[in-house]
Each structure stands twice: as structure tokens, then as C-alpha cells.
Amino acid sequence: AHSMLFVNNLARNGSEAQKRQWLPAAVDGSKLCGMCMSEPSVGTDVLGMKTTATRQGDEYIINGAKMWITNGTPDGAETGDAYLVYARTGETSRDVSLFLVEKGTPGFSLGQKIQDKCGMRASMTAELVFQDCRVPASHLIGEEGKATLCMMRNLEIERVVLAAMSLGIARRCIEEMNRYARDRQAFGSRLNSFGQIQRFIAESYAEYQAGRSYVYNVARHLQLDSAGNGLDADGVKLYCGQMGKNVADRAIQVMGGYGYVGEYNVERLWRDAKLLEIGGGTNEAHHKNIVRDLSRQARCAGRKRVGATATLHGNELRLLV
């Protein structure tokens, strides 16, 4: 959330002056930063955001609330140091702009720290509130009304990163259940001598390696300065998010009662894995996006085939486009 949603976003979309002003403290870790996109009533439908920013002289006035903000509070009492905030600055859903809002800005406050999360409990998550929040016009990142592209480009990168998080969960779960099955004795034999247990471990390893290849391949081809990587950014997160949760579930099953308690870690990894089917885009959103993008590819391919057709009319060769 700090290095990718804030630092990379600002590095790719900010002016040289803005980068010189804010990146050094973010990069050296002296400031805690994040990004604000989701809202209490707006998640997957991100372009339906209600937060607005209105220009008044040399300032923008921001009103609204952002929800599920990672690094939203370090202690439950104050906000972090700086956030990139998406807000509507026009009449249409795509008239979105990006602003940098710093801790202590008048009208900017912590709404609440999110309590009792199922997983990812080490992640500091909060609601942030903007009530007549006055931000200097110099804090506008990029052009007014042009931040939708920044948002979509950053979502593609975020989804690859979250897929990589699923890889880490799966790898740790495989290590834990493999070690346990090797050491545990049942019915006079090692647990890993039983076919059911072998299936859990072997299928988990194969699925993890498939996901690893997919993640590294998508990451290798990802263009940080452009959009258009959405198909496989969605695909890799969809596959790895489900894969990580399934592997964690098998690890609990292999370890039985011990897998269900915190001492053996896999129950925590199982809880953490669930977020990766929700955050950064739900599985259902990935289904929709993938089918949409594949449909576009099929349409473009159809046009190319038509474009290659030629007919002879008298002395003219006419190409169909």
C-alpha cells in the first residue's frame, strides 16, 4: 500500500516538483503513506465514488469519506502522513482527479479504525473523512479530470502484487503441511504415506508452481507507464487468489486440529488469503473484466480477418475493412 499504491503512483503521475517534495520521505520510510479510492458505499463500482473536489481559487475543497484504507492509521488515534485521494471534479463518472492530502490538513480526519477483521490483522485499516478539506491546487496530481487512467493503471499493478502475496501464502502453507506430514505418525506410519495426504500436498505444489509461473510472466511484461495489461492482471489475481486460499485450506486439513489453532500458522494464512479474493478487485469483478477483454480481442481478431478480404471489381482490387 505504501510503496505501490502511493510511491509508484506518485512516481508515475506526479510532476518533478511534487516528486522532489514528497517521495524522499516516503522512500526512506520516515513517513507512512497510502491511497484512498474505496468508499463506505462504493467498492468494486469505483467510478461511482461520491467524494468530490471543487476548485475555489488556489484551493480544492474535498468532501466525502474513504473506507478500507490501508495505512489509514498507525495507532487508532491519528491518520498516517500522506495519501493520494481520488475525487470527482466533474459531472460524469469519469471526471476523476487525484490529490495529495497530508496529515493535519484542515478538514481531514480519521473516521474510525476498522476492528475485528477476519484476516490481515497486522494491516492498519481505517475510514478517512474529508469535510470541507482545503487542499492547495499544487497538490493536484496530473491534470484535473484525467485521473481515471492513473487509477486503472495502478489497479493493474496492484492486482499483480496481490497475486504475488497469494504465492507467499501458498508457499508457506506447503512448507508447513509438508513438514507436519513428514513428522506426524498415524496408524503406525508417517502421515505423508497416505494417499489422501499425498494428494493435498502434491496438488498444492503443482498449483503453486503454475501460479508462480503466471505471476512472473505477467510481471515481466507489465508496462508501468501504460494501461492495457488488464486481462492478465485480472487473470493472475483471480487464479492465485483462489489457489492461495485452497492451499491454505488443504494445509489445515492435513494438520487437523493442530492446523485449526494459531500455533501452527496455517489458520492465520487461511484467513489472510480470503482478503485476496476481495481486495484489489473481487473475483466477480475479475470474471466480468476477463470476459469483456476476451470479447474485445475476438472482435478485433474478426475485424482483422475481414480486413484481409479482397474482391475484384473491374480493374480495381477493393479491400474490405
Side-chain angles (χ1 to χ4, degrees):
H2 177 93
S3 63
M4 188 270 297
L5 296 180
F6 181 89
V7 172
N8 179 74
N9 201 345
L10 181 58
R12 298 292 165 181
N13 301 305
S15 67
E16 289 303 316
Q18 290 168 338
K19 289 186 280 188
R20 284 196 300 269
Q21 181 178 356
W22 290 307
L23 284 183
V27 170
D28 70 21
S30 58
K31 289 195 173 182
L32 178 70
C33 307
M35 184 270 290
C36 300
M37 186 169 63
S38 296
E39 298 182 358
S41 60
V42 176
T44 300
D45 181 22
V46 65
L47 292 180
M49 68 177 63
K50 303 297 189 296
T51 300
T52 61
T54 306
R55 181 78 181 253
Q56 289 187 5
D58 293 332
E59 295 180 319
Y60 282 90
I61 312 301
I62 302 177
N63 280 286
K66 296 294 183 178
M67 193 68 164
W68 316 114
I69 307 307
T70 304
N71 292 345
T73 176
D75 55 12
E78 297 181 321
T79 70
D81 294 300
Y83 300 88
L84 293 177
V85 181
Y86 289 97
R88 288 183 54 198
T89 49
E91 296 300 320
T92 74
S93 62
R94 290 188 172 273
D95 291 326
V96 175
S97 300
L98 183 61
F99 302 90
L100 193 142
V101 180
E102 296 179 286
K103 177 181 178 180
T105 300
F108 174 48
S109 63
L110 172 67
Q112 60 175 317
K113 180 180 179 181
I114 307 302
Q115 307 286 352
D116 298 327
K117 293 190 299 180
C118 172
M120 297 288 183
R121 294 175 181 174
S123 171
M124 302 166 288
T125 312
E127 176 190 29
L128 300 179
V129 177
F130 306 85
Q131 186 171 5
D132 292 330
C133 175
R134 293 185 170 271
V135 176
S138 61
H139 287 210
L140 172 68
I141 307 299
E143 299 180 50
E144 181 178 315
K146 303 296 184 181
T148 301
L149 179 61
C150 305
M151 183 192 306
M152 297 308 166
R153 183 168 56 195
N154 217 57
L155 276 171
E156 291 174 359
I157 302 168
E158 178 183 10
R159 285 166 181 167
V160 178
V161 171
L162 294 178
M165 291 172 65
S166 294
L167 284 185
I169 289 173
R171 185 179 69 178
R172 177 69 182 277
C173 287
I174 292 168
E175 291 171 353
E176 295 291 343
M177 69 170 133
N178 184 48
R179 182 183 305 111
Y180 182 90
R182 180 196 61 202
D183 296 339
R184 173 79 180 205
Q185 296 282 325
F187 302 100
S189 301
R190 288 184 177 181
L191 199 60
N192 64 5
S193 68
F194 296 98
Q196 300 100 317
I197 304 303
Q198 292 170 352
R199 177 184 176 185
F200 285 145
I201 297 173
E203 289 187 350
S204 296
Y205 177 76
E207 291 172 12
Y208 160 73
Q209 288 290 5
R212 184 176 185 272
S213 296
Y214 195 6
V215 167
Y216 276 71
N217 189 56
V218 174
R220 184 166 64 93
H221 291 96
L222 197 65
Q223 300 296 321
L224 298 183
D225 288 319
S226 66
N229 311 285
L231 176 59
D232 282 308
D234 278 285
V236 75
K237 181 176 172 293
L238 174 65
Y239 176 80
C240 288
Q242 294 176 325
M243 179 273 295
K245 189 188 73 173
N246 290 342
V247 170
D249 190 79
R250 292 181 193 131
I252 293 176
Q253 198 68 22
V254 166
M255 299 166 74
Y258 289 108
Y260 196 67
V261 298
E263 180 182 356
Y264 284 78
N265 297 307
V266 293
E267 64 85 27
R268 172 177 60 82
L269 295 170
W270 181 71
R271 290 186 287 103
D272 289 350
K274 182 58 189 176
L275 177 64
L276 301 174
E277 294 186 320
I278 301 170
T282 62
N283 286 355
E284 294 74 22
H286 299 321
H287 295 155
K288 172 181 68 70
N289 294 344
I290 289 169
V291 172
R292 177 200 63 202
D293 291 345
L294 288 174
S295 179
R296 287 174 180 170
Q297 286 188 4
R299 185 165 63 247
C300 291
R303 287 174 179 170
K304 289 179 181 179
R305 287 194 296 271
V306 170
T309 302
T311 59
L312 186 64
H313 291 264
N315 294 324
E316 294 181 343
L317 185 65
R318 295 181 181 176
L319 297 178
L320 302 181
V321 295

